[in-house]
Amino acid sequence: MNEEIRSFIAIELPNEVKSQIESYVSELRKFAPKLKWVKKESLHITLKFLGNQPPHTIENVIASLIPLKEYGKSFEIQIKNIGAFPNQNKPRVIWLGIEASPRELFFQTYAWIEEQLEQLGFEKEKRKFSPHLTLARIKFPTDLKGLWGFTENQPFPVQSFKVTEIVLMRSILKSFGAEYHQIQKYPLR
């Protein structure tokens, strides 16, 4: 059977960072219990969503990213500041912001991945890359004044960690949400 594989390239978070986020989200949930909140085990930073692909394409992706271990260098990430896409007045996604140090290493790694995948026929992202960590998705208009008030008075405590690998992940859609599994890890120098 040649079942397509839904996949993406990401940065995984250390468990202690996920626990800090989960603790903060448990407070946010009180103000917006009906939002589709991302589960602790599913928290990650997406670099490139690949969508549904045949197995041979995923094999090509795996091979094309192998040079990351020679090309890519590790960097620090800070998770801080909460926001929304497209904005706080009409939010569709609630997120935590990402800052990298050195910033250029992070963006070079992202650009390199985009280049490698473009050679395999994946379209380059047209929107400006805006690194973030999705906390919740919003399907219907919701009053979030209480949530924004809370975040103003209780900002997310900054979390830092060193990124030492990039991961190709598989996303399996289930009735309770997506389940993620590692396909391949790419260590960074």
Side-chain angles (χ1 to χ4, degrees):
M1 186 155 97
N2 246 357
E3 182 185 328
E4 289 197 326
I5 299 168
R6 186 173 194 261
S7 59
F8 59 94
I9 297 164
I11 295 169
E12 289 195 297
L13 310 177
N15 283 331
E16 51 284 5
V17 173
K18 286 183 179 183
S19 293
Q20 286 293 325
I21 294 168
E22 181 184 44
S23 174
Y24 192 70
V25 165
S26 71
E27 293 300 314
L28 299 181
R29 215 182 245 122
K30 294 173 186 173
F31 299 99
K34 293 186 176 169
L35 299 190
K36 183 140 176 56
W37 293 96
V38 176
K39 294 186 296 270
K40 175 185 174 184
E41 59 274 9
S42 298
L43 291 168
H44 66 274
I45 301 164
T46 302
L47 297 177
K48 178 80 171 172
F49 180 69
L50 305 177
N52 291 325
Q53 302 297 329
H56 72 273
T57 299
I58 296 301
E59 289 170 18
N60 291 338
V61 169
I62 291 169
S64 75
L65 296 179
I66 288 172
L68 251 179
K69 64 182 166 200
E70 297 302 321
Y71 172 81
K73 293 180 184 161
S74 59
F75 49 88
E76 287 281 326
I77 276 192
Q78 277 193 335
I79 301 173
K80 59 183 186 178
N81 304 332
I82 194 162
F85 291 137
N87 58 55
Q88 288 187 1
N89 296 328
K90 294 184 179 179
R92 305 294 288 152
V93 172
I94 295 177
W95 48 258
L96 285 171
I98 305 295
E99 285 187 18
S101 177
R103 187 177 191 278
E104 56 280 354
L105 267 184
F106 180 44
F107 282 87
Q108 285 169 4
T109 302
Y110 167 77
W112 185 88
I113 291 168
E114 281 278 315
E115 294 284 331
Q116 294 302 110
L117 295 176
E118 185 181 39
Q119 292 173 30
L120 296 178
F122 288 92
E123 200 172 308
K124 270 191 175 180
E125 183 60 54
K126 288 177 177 48
R127 294 172 293 189
K128 180 179 178 258
F129 180 51
S130 182
H132 65 281
L133 193 150
T134 299
L135 294 180
R137 290 179 178 78
I138 305 163
K139 289 193 188 264
F140 305 104
T142 307
D143 179 10
L144 296 177
K145 285 186 190 89
L147 183 141
W148 298 127
F150 173 82
T151 63
E152 205 169 292
N153 294 321
Q154 301 285 320
F156 178 73
V158 175
Q159 298 294 306
S160 299
F161 67 97
K162 188 172 187 128
V163 177
T164 58
E165 65 186 17
I166 303 293
V167 185
L168 175 61
M169 301 288 284
R170 179 175 191 164
S171 171
I172 301 169
L173 298 178
K174 305 268 185 163
S175 59
F176 54 82
E179 201 175 79
Y180 303 137
H181 302 279
Q182 287 184 1
I183 296 174
Q184 185 75 39
K185 286 183 184 182
Y186 299 95
L188 302 173
R189 287 188 286 129

